[in-house]
Amino acid sequence: MVDTRLIDGKARAAGLRAAVAAAAAALKAQHGIVPGLCAVLVGEDPASQVYVRSKGKATIEAGLASFEHKLPASASEAELLALIARLNADDTVDGILVQLPLPPQINPQRVIDAIAPAKDVDGFHPENVGRLWSGSTSLVPCTPYGCLMLLREAIPSLAGAEAVVLGRSNIVGKPMAALLLGESCTVTVAHSKSHDLPAIARRADILIAAVSKPELVRGDWIKPGAVVIDVGINRVATADGKSRLVGDVAFEEAQGIAGAITPVPGGVGPMTIACLLRNTLLAACRRRGLTEPSI
């Protein structure tokens, strides 16, 4: 048994948001610039509405400008692309965030491709993806970068560590692998077609679980002393007819085996919005050729 340390993503995110607020205040004082983040919501998806509201609140609290555009669920792809073109040309907007999922009549990749790479604060545009994998400066997807920030605090040096990423999505798994390679980790990406997932996971000094399957990763999948980053947020029913949030890792089983682990909630989730604010600030500086803050 080991003494498992909880990785407090909520506290780390609060620190990052404070750093963004301080840097934004300096940018306004020195250059008269207020970085602007624009969220675009298509349709009435309740979860998306809540997420967009929380992003807007966090943006304002950090001293950034918050904009929002809502289109009906019946909006055409052409209408959305026209809106993005206007936002690309709007100098008050430094970051454009199109909330996914989109209605079926809209191709999400065409929408992502239409966002100016310099304003792509989600880090999903092919140019930003390519720059990330080539080791160039880019806007990096928020959730994996938040995971990296938590890892850097949990492990003195990531170089040489064996890292396993469970999940190969464009949003988390693939960019997470690129970031870990950039830190000189030895990286394995595993997924639903991988043979013997438990054996692959047990090799990991760093285990990233991003598969959206409630408590898939059991305690005996974890190498003793490994650092576990649980990206999953899954709502499951309880015996009393209510529900609770769980991650992709069986948290209770991981206790006493993992050296450190992120809880759900309160782990990776808060880092995502904090890193979105960071990306907006960096985009504002880079677009104008200003020195970007070290945050």
Side-chain angles (χ1 to χ4, degrees), residues 192 210-217 232 234 247-249:
S192 59
V211 289
S212 297
K213 293 188 180 297
E215 299 182 325
L216 173 74
V217 178
N234 311 284
D248 290 347
V249 178

Side-chain angles (χ1 to χ4, degrees), residues 10-22 145-146 149 270-271 273-278 295:
K10 191 173 181 181
R12 182 64 184 88
L16 178 56
R17 286 163 67 162
V20 169
Y145 194 79
M149 294 184 82
M271 293 297 295
I273 290 181
C275 288
L276 177 67
L277 303 177
R278 176 184 180 273
I295 57 172

Side-chain angles (χ1 to χ4, degrees), residues 75-120:
S76 67
E77 185 177 286
E79 287 177 282
L80 178 54
L81 293 177
L83 172 59
I84 290 171
R86 293 196 298 274
L87 297 176
N88 284 340
D90 187 343
D91 200 46
T92 65
V93 174
D94 296 290
I96 300 170
L97 169 80
V98 177
Q99 186 65 40
L100 302 175
L102 291 167
Q105 74 273 16
I106 299 176
N107 183 322
Q109 192 57 54
R110 284 191 196 136
V111 173
I112 290 167
D113 291 351
I115 297 171
K119 296 187 177 188
D120 168 39

Side-chain angles (χ1 to χ4, degrees), residues 10 13 19 33 67 73 79 82 89 102 135 163 175 186 201 235 270:
K10 191 173 181 181
I33 294 166
F67 309 105
E79 287 177 282
L102 291 167
T186 300
R235 189 168 290 280

Side-chain angles (χ1 to χ4, degrees), residues 51-72:
Y51 200 37
V52 166
R53 276 199 302 271
S54 65
K55 287 174 180 176
K57 183 172 180 286
T59 301
I60 292 168
E61 287 175 351
L64 311 183
S66 178
F67 309 105
E68 189 177 310
H69 286 272
K70 291 183 178 180
L71 296 178

Side-chain angles (χ1 to χ4, degrees), residues 6 14-15 22 31 34 65 77 79 100 108 125 134 140 143 146 156 165 171 182 194 216 220 252 261 270 285 289 292:
L6 286 185
H31 303 282
V34 179
E77 185 177 286
E79 287 177 282
L100 302 175
H125 190 282
S134 67
V140 179
T143 298
V165 180
I171 295 172
S194 298
L216 173 74
D220 62 3
E252 297 299 328
I261 188 171
C285 294
E292 60 189 66

